[in-house]
């Protein structure tokens, strides 16, 4: 459940719809699903296997399993670097979500009515202002730290068990409302009728990045969680469950968003603000109940973001305390302070510092690229090659079969995917995407 909590988050509800909308809808969805099931799930298993086998955090895990080739530790390091930047960027969107909880509860969102222009303008003003997003980031950060330092990590599993299903229930309500809006069918078609002419090689790379981001793989997080998996747990089943839940929630989020996008006069290519612009519009078509739904929705989305942020912080903290003699508490506070400061800078780069460019991109867009199409795919490539070609095969079998106590009929397919399909696909997509 903690790993589901890590996987399910803003990636499903905020990022999936906007990336899917940006890169063409249905065709993107198909490519995304292929990546999730043929590559993402295998990667998740490989991270679980490496973590549980080695009982270490990323760098040492690779080095322990390949003692003669310590350089493999670099793959782990890349994952940790990715976690660091992802957490910084994640805090920005978590801040927006936190801010929207307040705007929903206070009735501000309801007062915007159903004019898409007014609602968009509200988001633009909020996200590009100097202080509101930063204060929201800080409130969110304090909340996460309180959860961690309060020692209630165990509570996270329970929170995930109770609150995540309610979030899914709310997304379902939103789907129904969205699909029954006038003209909504175009949105359903946009999501489910593929038009491959709209798909570019950049879109394929974006689908890969989104699959990795959403499953929390390619950044060491699942490897660290893998090291906590009890010896009797079934790694294959666990990974398949997480993958299925995560994907279902992303598709449902798409189904809640796209019909409303078309019905309310937004553009599917609306960018990172898409969900924050479209959903208030949907809530405001619900009359008086809208405020209640909106408040509950953004609150639960914030909780989903908390469980994901905690997993990122956990990877960083566990790594840090394994390599230095500092306590976990000091590590957590340190990493969180630095990432929150960096997150505030990224937030400013959406607004007052939008003229500051790196490689022609704002800092926020730059780090978004780094986090989706560079660091995680490269770390994923290293991990899968390690898993398929370097790690002793007996160890892999042993982990899947729980020391020979489980039958593993799926193993040959998995092995084939891990050795040939996944590395080749990753290489091709990475090279062609980056060149284009
Ligand atoms: N998977 C999370 C989400 O979908 C984000 C995340 C990425 C969490 C990487 C941990 C590691 O929101």
């Amino acid at each position: 459940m903690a790993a589901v909590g890590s996987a399910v988050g803003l990636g499903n509800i905020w990022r999936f719809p906007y990336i899917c909308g940006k890169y063409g809808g249905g065709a993107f969805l198909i490519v995304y699903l292929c990546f999730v099931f043929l590559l993402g799930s295998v990667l998740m298993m490989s991270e679980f296997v490496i973590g549980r086998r080695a009982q270490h955090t990323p760098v040492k895990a690779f080095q322990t399993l390949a003692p003669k080739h310590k350089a493999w530790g670099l793959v782990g390091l890349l994952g940790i670097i990715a976690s660091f930047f992802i957490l910084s960027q994640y805090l920005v969107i978590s801040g927006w979500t936190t801010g929207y909880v307040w705007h929903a509860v206070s009735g501000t969102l309801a007062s915007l009515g159903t004019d898409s222009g007014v609602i968009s303008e509200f988001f633009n003003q909020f996200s590009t202002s100097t202080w509101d997003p930063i204060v929201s980031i800080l409130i969110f950060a304090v909340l996460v730290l309180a959860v961690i330092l309060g020692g209630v990590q165990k509570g996270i599993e329970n929170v995930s068990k109770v609150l995540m299903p309610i979030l899914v229930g709310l997304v379902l309500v939103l789907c129904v409302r969205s699909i029954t809006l006038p003209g909504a069918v175009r949105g359903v078609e946009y999501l489910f009728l593929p038009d491959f002419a709209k798909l570019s090689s950049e879109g394929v790379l974006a689908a890969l990045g989104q699959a990795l981001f959403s499953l929390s793989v390619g950044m060491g997080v699942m490897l660290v969680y893998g090291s906590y998996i009890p010896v009797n747990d079934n790694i294959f089943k666990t990974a398949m469950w997480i993958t299925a839940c995560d994907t279902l929630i992303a598709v449902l989020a798409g189904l809640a968003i796209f019909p409303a996008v078309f019905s309310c006069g937004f553009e599917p290519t609306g960018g990172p603000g898409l969900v924050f612009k479209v959903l208030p519009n949907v809530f405001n078509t619900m009359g008086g109940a809208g405020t209640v739904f909106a408040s509950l929705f953004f609150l639960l989305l914030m909780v989903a973001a908390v469980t994901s942020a905690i997993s990122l912080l956990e990877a960083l903290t566990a790594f840090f305390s394994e390599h230095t003699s500092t306590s976990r508490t000091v590590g957590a506070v340190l990493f969180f302070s630095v990432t929150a400061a960096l997150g505030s800078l990224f937030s400013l780069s959406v607004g007052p510092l939008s003229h500051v460019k790196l490689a022609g991109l704002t800092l926020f867009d730059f780090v978004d690229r780094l986090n989706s199409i560079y660091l995680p795919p490269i770390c994923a490539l290293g991990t899968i090659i390690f898993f398929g070609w370097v790690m002793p095969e007996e160890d892999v079998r042993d982990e899947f079969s729980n020391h020979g106590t489980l039958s593993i009929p799926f193993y040959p397919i998995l092995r084939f995917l891990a050795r040939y399909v996944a590395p080749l696909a990753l290489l091709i997509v990475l090279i062609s995407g980056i060149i284009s």
Side-chain angles (χ1 to χ4, degrees), residues 22 44 92 108 115 118 153 181 212 225 265 319 360 378 423 428:
K22 181 171 172 187
M44 191 183 291
V92 178
T108 314
D115 182 327
V118 174
Q153 275 109 317
L181 288 168
L212 302 182
Y225 272 20
F319 169 79
I378 296 172
I428 294 172

Side-chain angles (χ1 to χ4, degrees), residues 6-12 86 90 213-216 219 221 308 311-312:
S6 169
V8 175
L10 298 170
N12 308 62
I86 288 178
Y90 209 73
F213 185 89
S214 193
L215 293 174
S216 309
M219 53 277 289
V221 169
S308 297
S311 73
L312 286 158

